[in-house]
Amino acid sequence: MSDTRRRVKVYTLNEDRQWDDRGTGHVSSTYVERLKGMSLLVRAESDGSLLLESKINPNTAYQKQQDTLIVWSEAENYDLALSFQEKAGCDEIWEKICQVQGKDPSVEVTQDPIDESEEERFEEMPETSNLIDLPTCELSKLEEIADLVTSVLSSPIRREKLALALENEGYIKKMLQLFQTCENLDNTEGLHHLYEIIRGILFLNKATLFEVMFSDECIMDVVGCLEYDPALAQPKRHREFLTKTAKFKEVIPITDSELRQKIHQTYRVQYIQDVILPTPSVFEENFLSTLTSFIFFNKVEIVSMLQEDEKFLSEVFAQLTDDATDDDKRRELVNFFKEFCAFSQTLQPQNRDAFFKTLANLGILPALEIVMGMDDLQVRAAATDIFSYLVEFSPSMVREFVMQEAQQSDDDILLINVVIEQMICDTDPELGGAVQLMGLLRTLIDPENMLATANVRSCTWKAEKSEFLNFFYNHCMHVLTAPLLANTSEDKLEKDAVVGSTKSSTICPDNYQTAQLLALILELLTFCVEHHTYHIKNYIMNKDLLRRVLILMNSKHTFLALCALRFMRRIIGLKDEFYNRYIIKGNLFEPVINALLDNGTRYNLLNSAVIELFEFIRVEDIKSLTSHIVDNFYKELEPIEYVQTFKGLKTKYEQEKDRQNQKLSSVPSILRSNRFRRDARALDEDEELWFNEDEEEEGEAVVPPVEKSKAEDDFPDSYEKFMETKKGILCFT
């Protein structure tokens, strides 16, 4: 068994002032010939590779923090930290560092950091200047103390000396006793001075002082001092909030007192940083870097302690999925996991991987499937946030789960279908939750994402892509498109036609919330057109989906009409003749041209988008579409002269016709005889046969036609029946 005393994590501070985990290993101190001196070496526990090789420089300032941390800077903007598993190992290495530098191991900082601008002046100072004489800690001296603390902030040397004096004399606890006296006496002036003093001490940026100030004994008095900002007419009530409003709920009793204390401390210190302290000025922005590190390492420790307590997590999962658990308790459990996952974001990638793997092994995905289908909006929202953390961590893990689940469950209760149903039934008028869920779905169905997260073995990505997309189109796509197909069905249109309209084509009935939802669905389908090639093509053909989508060109909501147009534009942008023949056969330019003509002479986004569509066809010289447009619609489009697009299409059409005639005339007459001429009807039949055949794309396996799931057998009623079962949830009314 390896020596856990020397087990450490190596951290470096990045440009965003966040600690990056460089790995876990074992530290030793030894003489390195190449560096010509005693050095710290950390070798990875996984493979023995060298994580750190750092010479112990006699002039480098090393800091010992929180009993298990050693922090130092090797160069400008390059900070390092060793986080020890055990205090004994930290003490052992600290003694080695102090031995090299000739320091007493009882010190917390081995060197006073010297500002370059003050170095010369410092060398000339007498030895007695190393000490700062603190005024006596009494009420009459508070103003003098406040002036002293404020005056040292601009000098790194004096900040270090003041911190050392405060630490050695137990000064902070004495001042906090004065705070209680000032409050009892309603001494407003004294309280204002104490605010300046405590704020200044925080800006000294010393971990050793933070350990005193944020101890259970002192932290509430520190918060109390910070309530009396002289700039405010009335003091804030932060202590009241922390003790009465903010309640710590133990969803499962925490038996580890150290863990409970660490959670309380972290919450309160985070509150001080985020709520109480004013936004630091440019001059002050680096003063609280150690406070940020203090919170960071606390969160790492909390997550690690909870993660290692499998009994605790197993009990949480058991209660979360137990039918007997009441709604209030389940809400607390879900909120706990949400906060737990949020804390995990402070971890570095390899630690975060281990964290989410632990949750996956304990059954987080089946648990989410249950709670996301509940009627409680708060529970669903928290579950969605947890799901987003999981998708961000490993889309492949989620995909693997849902494909395995499909072998044992009906389509209605599949996790992805539960997510889609929550998106469809979002009651928020602005569909905030639906937007979030749509983004998660897009991540799950993104082939590039599959490439990034799949194993690097040959064909693994292709297998994952093929298997998952087959699954998605067979089991989930009908749920996603249900609102779209329901709102563009013939029965729906006939009912709404009674309302009447002056437009030449049927009007799509939609309220604002429905229009927003349909726009989200179209955005996802447009993404599929761009990234799924054959699978979405097969679905569009089987469902005649583009025709249904183009009905939305008549929506009174311009953004929805533009989404429908964008869907068609992406299809045409592929320059796929199979799609082109589908569009021609279905005469699917008609609703687009009608929308352009109905828009009249208004110069707006819809007008520009339609013109751009036809301009693309002209520039790319898509001959089949050009011929179809000119043959069928040029009479209506000819009067449009404010752009040259349609005249350009006519020119392209005529040029192609001339080329074909020239080719024909160059063929000997005998080759143009009836012997070689095919009957027109036979040609039409052959074209029809070609059009109805499945096209096989090069390099991609052809999937069978989308299977009709049980939910689609009686489709147009399935969507309405589904909506009726959602009690108390407003969807499209």
Side-chain angles (χ1 to χ4, degrees), residues 406-587:
Q407 300 171 7
Q408 304 158 352
S409 307
D410 294 335
D411 285 1
D412 291 343
I413 59 173
L414 295 179
L415 177 59
I416 289 190
N417 286 344
V418 171
V419 171
I420 294 172
E421 288 166 7
Q422 295 308 316
M423 183 181 85
I424 292 171
C425 290
D426 187 4
T427 57
D428 179 5
E430 297 299 325
L431 295 188
V435 171
Q436 181 185 10
L437 290 169
M438 190 272 290
L440 297 176
L441 286 171
R442 182 162 58 185
T443 300
L444 289 173
I445 64 175
D446 185 356
E448 293 300 320
N449 177 276
M450 297 176 198
L451 178 63
T453 58
N455 295 330
V456 295
R457 293 175 300 176
S458 61
C459 300
T460 302
W461 167 69
K462 207 161 189 178
E464 183 184 13
K465 176 185 176 184
S466 176
E467 288 177 18
F468 182 75
L469 292 183
N470 283 342
F471 157 81
F472 182 77
Y473 279 85
N474 285 329
H475 297 278
C476 308
M477 184 59 98
H478 69 279
V479 181
L480 177 65
T481 56
L484 174 63
L485 298 177
N487 279 277
T488 56
S489 65
E490 292 182 6
D491 292 343
K492 181 98 171 166
L493 296 173
E494 286 174 5
K495 288 178 185 177
D496 291 293
V498 177
V499 177
S501 172
T502 58
K503 286 193 175 184
S504 58
S505 56
T506 310
I507 303 301
C508 168
D510 50 358
N511 59 39
Y512 179 68
Q513 189 169 349
T514 305
Q516 281 189 305
L517 176 63
L518 296 180
L520 283 178
I521 293 171
L522 280 176
E523 185 177 340
L524 206 55
L525 291 174
T526 302
F527 178 85
C528 293
V529 167
E530 291 179 301
H531 294 86
H532 293 174
T533 56
Y534 180 76
H535 292 82
I536 186 64
K537 183 193 299 184
N538 191 33
Y539 193 85
I540 289 172
M541 301 305 164
N542 286 343
K543 293 293 182 184
D544 197 10
L545 190 63
L546 181 56
R547 181 185 304 279
R548 303 289 282 271
V549 168
L550 289 175
I551 291 173
L552 301 176
M553 290 292 298
N554 299 298
S555 172
K556 65 183 179 182
H557 301 288
T558 304
F559 70 86
L560 182 56
L562 287 167
C563 286
L565 183 62
R566 188 183 303 118
F567 181 70
M568 185 178 191
R569 172 65 176 81
R570 290 293 183 273
I571 289 175
I572 292 175
L574 297 175
K575 296 188 285 186
D576 184 331
E577 272 305 307
F578 194 76
Y579 273 130
N580 294 345
R581 305 238 356 147
Y582 164 67
I583 291 169
I584 292 168
K585 184 177 175 65
N587 196 28

Side-chain angles (χ1 to χ4, degrees), residues 314-325:
S314 298
E315 180 64 23
V316 173
F317 273 106
Q319 291 200 23
L320 185 63
T321 55
D322 188 349
D323 292 337
T325 303

Side-chain angles (χ1 to χ4, degrees), residues 289-307:
S289 60
T290 303
L291 181 61
T292 302
S293 299
F294 186 94
I295 296 169
F296 171 85
F297 286 115
N298 264 18
K299 288 182 176 180
V300 169
E301 194 170 345
I302 290 169
V303 172
S304 299
M305 293 171 77
L306 285 173
Q307 186 179 339

Side-chain angles (χ1 to χ4, degrees), residues 224-473:
C225 291
L226 294 173
E227 291 179 351
Y228 291 93
D229 185 347
L232 300 176
Q234 294 293 328
K236 296 288 187 179
R237 297 182 178 273
H238 297 302
R239 283 171 295 173
E240 183 178 328
F241 174 83
L242 289 173
T243 55
K244 296 181 181 178
T245 306
K247 296 294 184 183
F248 176 61
K249 296 181 179 179
E250 295 184 53
V251 291
I252 302 293
I254 296 175
T255 56
D256 188 335
S257 59
E258 182 185 354
L259 173 59
R260 189 186 300 107
Q261 186 273 336
K262 189 73 70 176
I263 292 171
H264 284 304
Q265 183 188 61
T266 304
Y267 177 81
R268 291 164 179 169
V269 176
Q270 187 86 61
Y271 182 86
I272 290 172
Q273 184 185 50
D274 293 345
V275 179
I276 300 180
L277 290 177
T279 303
S281 64
V282 175
F283 173 71
E284 300 168 337
E285 62 184 2
N286 292 323
F287 283 4
L288 295 175
S289 60
T290 303
L291 181 61
T292 302
S293 299
F294 186 94
I295 296 169
F296 171 85
F297 286 115
N298 264 18
K299 288 182 176 180
V300 169
E301 194 170 345
I302 290 169
V303 172
S304 299
M305 293 171 77
L306 285 173
Q307 186 179 339
E308 290 167 5
D309 190 347
E310 290 193 10
K311 183 179 179 181
F312 174 84
L313 289 178
S314 298
E315 180 64 23
V316 173
F317 273 106
Q319 291 200 23
L320 185 63
T321 55
D322 188 349
D323 292 337
T325 303
D326 62 64
D327 292 345
D328 289 341
K329 182 69 171 180
R330 184 172 280 108
R331 188 181 304 115
E332 291 176 2
L333 290 165
V334 174
N335 284 330
F336 162 77
F337 269 118
K338 176 185 172 182
E339 192 167 353
F340 194 26
C341 290
F343 265 43
S344 75
Q345 300 309 291
T346 62
L347 301 176
Q348 295 306 308
Q350 67 184 64
N351 305 90
R352 196 156 59 242
D353 287 357
F355 168 79
F356 281 113
K357 284 175 183 174
T358 299
L359 292 189
N361 293 335
L362 288 169
I364 185 68
L365 287 169
L368 282 180
E369 191 171 55
I370 295 171
V371 296
M372 287 186 79
M374 294 180 175
D375 292 336
D376 190 311
L377 293 177
Q378 290 185 7
V379 169
R380 290 212 310 266
T384 299
D385 288 337
I386 297 169
F387 185 64
S388 69
Y389 287 124
L390 292 169
V391 171
E392 180 183 350
F393 159 66
S394 176
S396 286
M397 180 185 75
V398 179
R399 284 191 285 261
E400 183 179 356
F401 168 78
V402 296
M403 284 192 289
Q404 291 175 353
E405 181 188 33
Q407 300 171 7
Q408 304 158 352
S409 307
D410 294 335
D411 285 1
D412 291 343
I413 59 173
L414 295 179
L415 177 59
I416 289 190
N417 286 344
V418 171
V419 171
I420 294 172
E421 288 166 7
Q422 295 308 316
M423 183 181 85
I424 292 171
C425 290
D426 187 4
T427 57
D428 179 5
E430 297 299 325
L431 295 188
V435 171
Q436 181 185 10
L437 290 169
M438 190 272 290
L440 297 176
L441 286 171
R442 182 162 58 185
T443 300
L444 289 173
I445 64 175
D446 185 356
E448 293 300 320
N449 177 276
M450 297 176 198
L451 178 63
T453 58
N455 295 330
V456 295
R457 293 175 300 176
S458 61
C459 300
T460 302
W461 167 69
K462 207 161 189 178
E464 183 184 13
K465 176 185 176 184
S466 176
E467 288 177 18
F468 182 75
L469 292 183
N470 283 342
F471 157 81
F472 182 77
Y473 279 85

Side-chain angles (χ1 to χ4, degrees), residues 89 134 164 292 435 635:
L134 292 171
L164 190 60
T292 302
V435 171
K635 184 178 178 181

